[in-house]
mmCIF file with all atom_site columns, all heavy atoms in Angstrom:
data_model
loop_
_atom_site.group_PDB
_atom_site.id
_atom_site.type_symbol
_atom_site.label_atom_id
_atom_site.label_alt_id
_atom_site.label_comp_id
_atom_site.label_asym_id
_atom_site.label_entity_id
_atom_site.label_seq_id
_atom_site.pdbx_PDB_ins_code
_atom_site.Cartn_x
_atom_site.Cartn_y
_atom_site.Cartn_z
_atom_site.occupancy
_atom_site.B_iso_or_equiv
_atom_site.pdbx_formal_charge
_atom_site.auth_seq_id
_atom_site.auth_comp_id
_atom_site.auth_asym_id
_atom_site.auth_atom_id
_atom_site.pdbx_PDB_model_num
ATOM 1   N N   . TYR B 1 37 ? -4.067  1.217   -5.766  1.00 0.00 ? 58 TYR B N   1
ATOM 2   C CA  . TYR B 1 37 ? -4.631  1.606   -4.490  1.00 0.00 ? 58 TYR B CA  1
ATOM 3   C C   . TYR B 1 37 ? -4.896  3.109   -4.511  1.00 0.00 ? 58 TYR B C   1
ATOM 4   O O   . TYR B 1 37 ? -4.177  3.873   -5.141  1.00 0.00 ? 58 TYR B O   1
ATOM 5   C CB  . TYR B 1 37 ? -3.667  1.305   -3.330  1.00 0.00 ? 58 TYR B CB  1
ATOM 6   C CG  . TYR B 1 37 ? -3.513  -0.155  -2.987  1.00 0.00 ? 58 TYR B CG  1
ATOM 7   C CD1 . TYR B 1 37 ? -2.543  -0.943  -3.600  1.00 0.00 ? 58 TYR B CD1 1
ATOM 8   C CD2 . TYR B 1 37 ? -4.324  -0.741  -2.019  1.00 0.00 ? 58 TYR B CD2 1
ATOM 9   C CE1 . TYR B 1 37 ? -2.401  -2.279  -3.265  1.00 0.00 ? 58 TYR B CE1 1
ATOM 10  C CE2 . TYR B 1 37 ? -4.175  -2.080  -1.672  1.00 0.00 ? 58 TYR B CE2 1
ATOM 11  C CZ  . TYR B 1 37 ? -3.219  -2.837  -2.300  1.00 0.00 ? 58 TYR B CZ  1
ATOM 12  O OH  . TYR B 1 37 ? -3.071  -4.161  -1.970  1.00 0.00 ? 58 TYR B OH  1
ATOM 13  N N   . LYS B 1 38 ? -5.919  3.504   -3.772  1.00 0.00 ? 59 LYS B N   1
ATOM 14  C CA  . LYS B 1 38 ? -6.260  4.923   -3.625  1.00 0.00 ? 59 LYS B CA  1
ATOM 15  C C   . LYS B 1 38 ? -5.966  5.345   -2.193  1.00 0.00 ? 59 LYS B C   1
ATOM 16  O O   . LYS B 1 38 ? -6.331  4.638   -1.253  1.00 0.00 ? 59 LYS B O   1
ATOM 17  C CB  . LYS B 1 38 ? -7.747  5.135   -3.928  1.00 0.00 ? 59 LYS B CB  1
ATOM 18  C CG  . LYS B 1 38 ? -8.278  6.529   -3.669  1.00 0.00 ? 59 LYS B CG  1
ATOM 19  C CD  . LYS B 1 38 ? -9.781  6.591   -3.948  1.00 0.00 ? 59 LYS B CD  1
ATOM 20  C CE  . LYS B 1 38 ? -10.333 7.985   -3.688  1.00 0.00 ? 59 LYS B CE  1
ATOM 21  N NZ  . LYS B 1 38 ? -11.804 8.048   -3.958  1.00 0.00 ? 59 LYS B NZ  1
ATOM 22  N N   . GLN B 1 39 ? -5.304  6.480   -2.018  1.00 0.00 ? 60 GLN B N   1
ATOM 23  C CA  . GLN B 1 39 ? -5.040  6.989   -0.680  1.00 0.00 ? 60 GLN B CA  1
ATOM 24  C C   . GLN B 1 39 ? -5.646  8.382   -0.563  1.00 0.00 ? 60 GLN B C   1
ATOM 25  O O   . GLN B 1 39 ? -5.062  9.379   -0.982  1.00 0.00 ? 60 GLN B O   1
ATOM 26  C CB  . GLN B 1 39 ? -3.544  7.034   -0.365  1.00 0.00 ? 60 GLN B CB  1
ATOM 27  C CG  . GLN B 1 39 ? -3.252  7.395   1.089   1.00 0.00 ? 60 GLN B CG  1
ATOM 28  C CD  . GLN B 1 39 ? -1.760  7.367   1.424   1.00 0.00 ? 60 GLN B CD  1
ATOM 29  O OE1 . GLN B 1 39 ? -0.935  7.783   0.626   1.00 0.00 ? 60 GLN B OE1 1
ATOM 30  N NE2 . GLN B 1 39 ? -1.418  6.877   2.618   1.00 0.00 ? 60 GLN B NE2 1
ATOM 31  N N   . PRO B 1 40 ? -6.846  8.468   0.021   1.00 0.00 ? 61 PRO B N   1
ATOM 32  C CA  . PRO B 1 40 ? -7.463  9.786   0.218   1.00 0.00 ? 61 PRO B CA  1
ATOM 33  C C   . PRO B 1 40 ? -6.726  10.542  1.318   1.00 0.00 ? 61 PRO B C   1
ATOM 34  O O   . PRO B 1 40 ? -5.841  9.988   1.962   1.00 0.00 ? 61 PRO B O   1
ATOM 35  C CB  . PRO B 1 40 ? -8.901  9.431   0.630   1.00 0.00 ? 61 PRO B CB  1
ATOM 36  C CG  . PRO B 1 40 ? -8.797  8.062   1.205   1.00 0.00 ? 61 PRO B CG  1
ATOM 37  C CD  . PRO B 1 40 ? -7.678  7.373   0.487   1.00 0.00 ? 61 PRO B CD  1
ATOM 38  N N   . PRO B 1 41 ? -7.086  11.806  1.540   1.00 0.00 ? 62 PRO B N   1
ATOM 39  C CA  . PRO B 1 41 ? -6.397  12.601  2.572   1.00 0.00 ? 62 PRO B CA  1
ATOM 40  C C   . PRO B 1 41 ? -6.398  11.960  3.958   1.00 0.00 ? 62 PRO B C   1
ATOM 41  O O   . PRO B 1 41 ? -5.512  12.233  4.760   1.00 0.00 ? 62 PRO B O   1
ATOM 42  C CB  . PRO B 1 41 ? -7.186  13.918  2.566   1.00 0.00 ? 62 PRO B CB  1
ATOM 43  C CG  . PRO B 1 41 ? -7.677  14.021  1.166   1.00 0.00 ? 62 PRO B CG  1
ATOM 44  C CD  . PRO B 1 41 ? -8.014  12.611  0.751   1.00 0.00 ? 62 PRO B CD  1
ATOM 45  N N   . SER B 1 42 ? -7.351  11.114  4.229   1.00 0.00 ? 63 SER B N   1
ATOM 46  C CA  . SER B 1 42 ? -7.395  10.455  5.536   1.00 0.00 ? 63 SER B CA  1
ATOM 47  C C   . SER B 1 42 ? -6.209  9.511   5.738   1.00 0.00 ? 63 SER B C   1
ATOM 48  O O   . SER B 1 42 ? -5.860  9.172   6.870   1.00 0.00 ? 63 SER B O   1
ATOM 49  C CB  . SER B 1 42 ? -8.695  9.662   5.685   1.00 0.00 ? 63 SER B CB  1
ATOM 50  O OG  . SER B 1 42 ? -8.760  8.654   4.684   1.00 0.00 ? 63 SER B OG  1
ATOM 51  N N   . GLY B 1 43 ? -5.593  9.075   4.647   1.00 0.00 ? 64 GLY B N   1
ATOM 52  C CA  . GLY B 1 43 ? -4.392  8.260   4.742   1.00 0.00 ? 64 GLY B CA  1
ATOM 53  C C   . GLY B 1 43 ? -4.578  6.777   4.508   1.00 0.00 ? 64 GLY B C   1
ATOM 54  O O   . GLY B 1 43 ? -3.610  6.073   4.226   1.00 0.00 ? 64 GLY B O   1
ATOM 55  N N   . GLU B 1 44 ? -5.779  6.287   4.633   1.00 0.00 ? 65 GLU B N   1
ATOM 56  C CA  . GLU B 1 44 ? -5.984  4.852   4.490   1.00 0.00 ? 65 GLU B CA  1
ATOM 57  C C   . GLU B 1 44 ? -5.928  4.426   3.031   1.00 0.00 ? 65 GLU B C   1
ATOM 58  O O   . GLU B 1 44 ? -6.552  5.038   2.175   1.00 0.00 ? 65 GLU B O   1
ATOM 59  C CB  . GLU B 1 44 ? -7.337  4.452   5.076   1.00 0.00 ? 65 GLU B CB  1
ATOM 60  C CG  . GLU B 1 44 ? -7.640  2.979   4.994   1.00 0.00 ? 65 GLU B CG  1
ATOM 61  C CD  . GLU B 1 44 ? -8.881  2.608   5.768   1.00 0.00 ? 65 GLU B CD  1
ATOM 62  O OE1 . GLU B 1 44 ? -9.498  3.504   6.359   1.00 0.00 ? 65 GLU B OE1 1
ATOM 63  O OE2 . GLU B 1 44 ? -9.226  1.409   5.776   1.00 0.00 ? 65 GLU B OE2 1
ATOM 64  N N   . LEU B 1 45 ? -5.184  3.377   2.747   1.00 0.00 ? 66 LEU B N   1
ATOM 65  C CA  . LEU B 1 45 ? -5.110  2.867   1.383   1.00 0.00 ? 66 LEU B CA  1
ATOM 66  C C   . LEU B 1 45 ? -6.319  1.995   1.075   1.00 0.00 ? 66 LEU B C   1
ATOM 67  O O   . LEU B 1 45 ? -6.636  1.067   1.807   1.00 0.00 ? 66 LEU B O   1
ATOM 68  C CB  . LEU B 1 45 ? -3.835  2.049   1.170   1.00 0.00 ? 66 LEU B CB  1
ATOM 69  C CG  . LEU B 1 45 ? -2.660  2.852   0.637   1.00 0.00 ? 66 LEU B CG  1
ATOM 70  C CD1 . LEU B 1 45 ? -2.002  3.581   1.779   1.00 0.00 ? 66 LEU B CD1 1
ATOM 71  C CD2 . LEU B 1 45 ? -1.659  1.954   -0.055  1.00 0.00 ? 66 LEU B CD2 1
ATOM 72  N N   . VAL B 1 46 ? -6.948  2.313   -0.031  1.00 0.00 ? 67 VAL B N   1
ATOM 73  C CA  . VAL B 1 46 ? -8.126  1.576   -0.455  1.00 0.00 ? 67 VAL B CA  1
ATOM 74  C C   . VAL B 1 46 ? -7.767  0.744   -1.675  1.00 0.00 ? 67 VAL B C   1
ATOM 75  O O   . VAL B 1 46 ? -7.296  1.271   -2.682  1.00 0.00 ? 67 VAL B O   1
ATOM 76  C CB  . VAL B 1 46 ? -9.280  2.539   -0.794  1.00 0.00 ? 67 VAL B CB  1
ATOM 77  C CG1 . VAL B 1 46 ? -10.486 1.764   -1.295  1.00 0.00 ? 67 VAL B CG1 1
ATOM 78  C CG2 . VAL B 1 46 ? -9.638  3.394   0.417   1.00 0.00 ? 67 VAL B CG2 1
ATOM 79  N N   . PHE B 1 47 ? -7.996  -0.552  -1.576  1.00 0.00 ? 68 PHE B N   1
ATOM 80  C CA  . PHE B 1 47 ? -7.703  -1.464  -2.683  1.00 0.00 ? 68 PHE B CA  1
ATOM 81  C C   . PHE B 1 47 ? -8.701  -1.223  -3.812  1.00 0.00 ? 68 PHE B C   1
ATOM 82  O O   . PHE B 1 47 ? -9.906  -1.183  -3.588  1.00 0.00 ? 68 PHE B O   1
ATOM 83  C CB  . PHE B 1 47 ? -7.798  -2.898  -2.172  1.00 0.00 ? 68 PHE B CB  1
ATOM 84  C CG  . PHE B 1 47 ? -7.830  -3.954  -3.236  1.00 0.00 ? 68 PHE B CG  1
ATOM 85  C CD1 . PHE B 1 47 ? -6.688  -4.283  -3.929  1.00 0.00 ? 68 PHE B CD1 1
ATOM 86  C CD2 . PHE B 1 47 ? -9.006  -4.630  -3.536  1.00 0.00 ? 68 PHE B CD2 1
ATOM 87  C CE1 . PHE B 1 47 ? -6.708  -5.263  -4.910  1.00 0.00 ? 68 PHE B CE1 1
ATOM 88  C CE2 . PHE B 1 47 ? -9.044  -5.613  -4.508  1.00 0.00 ? 68 PHE B CE2 1
ATOM 89  C CZ  . PHE B 1 47 ? -7.889  -5.933  -5.195  1.00 0.00 ? 68 PHE B CZ  1
ATOM 90  N N   . LEU B 1 48 ? -8.187  -1.080  -5.032  1.00 0.00 ? 69 LEU B N   1
ATOM 91  C CA  . LEU B 1 48 ? -9.061  -0.853  -6.179  1.00 0.00 ? 69 LEU B CA  1
ATOM 92  C C   . LEU B 1 48 ? -9.119  -2.056  -7.108  1.00 0.00 ? 69 LEU B C   1
ATOM 93  O O   . LEU B 1 48 ? -10.194 -2.477  -7.527  1.00 0.00 ? 69 LEU B O   1
ATOM 94  C CB  . LEU B 1 48 ? -8.584  0.373   -6.971  1.00 0.00 ? 69 LEU B CB  1
ATOM 95  C CG  . LEU B 1 48 ? -8.644  1.721   -6.255  1.00 0.00 ? 69 LEU B CG  1
ATOM 96  C CD1 . LEU B 1 48 ? -8.102  2.822   -7.154  1.00 0.00 ? 69 LEU B CD1 1
ATOM 97  C CD2 . LEU B 1 48 ? -10.055 2.043   -5.800  1.00 0.00 ? 69 LEU B CD2 1
ATOM 98  N N   . ILE B 1 49 ? -7.950  -2.607  -7.441  1.00 0.00 ? 70 ILE B N   1
ATOM 99  C CA  . ILE B 1 49 ? -7.942  -3.702  -8.400  1.00 0.00 ? 70 ILE B CA  1
ATOM 100 C C   . ILE B 1 49 ? -6.653  -4.507  -8.297  1.00 0.00 ? 70 ILE B C   1
ATOM 101 O O   . ILE B 1 49 ? -5.613  -3.990  -7.885  1.00 0.00 ? 70 ILE B O   1
ATOM 102 C CB  . ILE B 1 49 ? -8.099  -3.192  -9.854  1.00 0.00 ? 70 ILE B CB  1
ATOM 103 C CG1 . ILE B 1 49 ? -8.338  -4.366  -10.816 1.00 0.00 ? 70 ILE B CG1 1
ATOM 104 C CG2 . ILE B 1 49 ? -6.880  -2.385  -10.274 1.00 0.00 ? 70 ILE B CG2 1
ATOM 105 C CD1 . ILE B 1 49 ? -8.700  -3.940  -12.218 1.00 0.00 ? 70 ILE B CD1 1
ATOM 106 N N   . ARG B 1 50 ? -6.759  -5.789  -8.619  1.00 0.00 ? 71 ARG B N   1
ATOM 107 C CA  . ARG B 1 50 ? -5.613  -6.670  -8.775  1.00 0.00 ? 71 ARG B CA  1
ATOM 108 C C   . ARG B 1 50 ? -5.721  -7.328  -10.142 1.00 0.00 ? 71 ARG B C   1
ATOM 109 O O   . ARG B 1 50 ? -6.785  -7.748  -10.561 1.00 0.00 ? 71 ARG B O   1
ATOM 110 C CB  . ARG B 1 50 ? -5.614  -7.750  -7.695  1.00 0.00 ? 71 ARG B CB  1
ATOM 111 C CG  . ARG B 1 50 ? -4.518  -8.789  -7.851  1.00 0.00 ? 71 ARG B CG  1
ATOM 112 C CD  . ARG B 1 50 ? -4.689  -9.938  -6.877  1.00 0.00 ? 71 ARG B CD  1
ATOM 113 N NE  . ARG B 1 50 ? -5.952  -10.616 -7.088  1.00 0.00 ? 71 ARG B NE  1
ATOM 114 C CZ  . ARG B 1 50 ? -6.907  -10.681 -6.147  1.00 0.00 ? 71 ARG B CZ  1
ATOM 115 N NH1 . ARG B 1 50 ? -6.735  -10.120 -4.972  1.00 0.00 ? 71 ARG B NH1 1
ATOM 116 N NH2 . ARG B 1 50 ? -8.023  -11.304 -6.407  1.00 0.00 ? 71 ARG B NH2 1
#
Side-chain angles (χ1 to χ4, degrees):
Chain B
Y58 288 90
K59 174 183 180 180
Q60 187 177 39
S63 61
E65 181 171 0
L66 268 81
V67 177
F68 167 74
L69 296 178
I70 190 172
R71 175 188 60 242

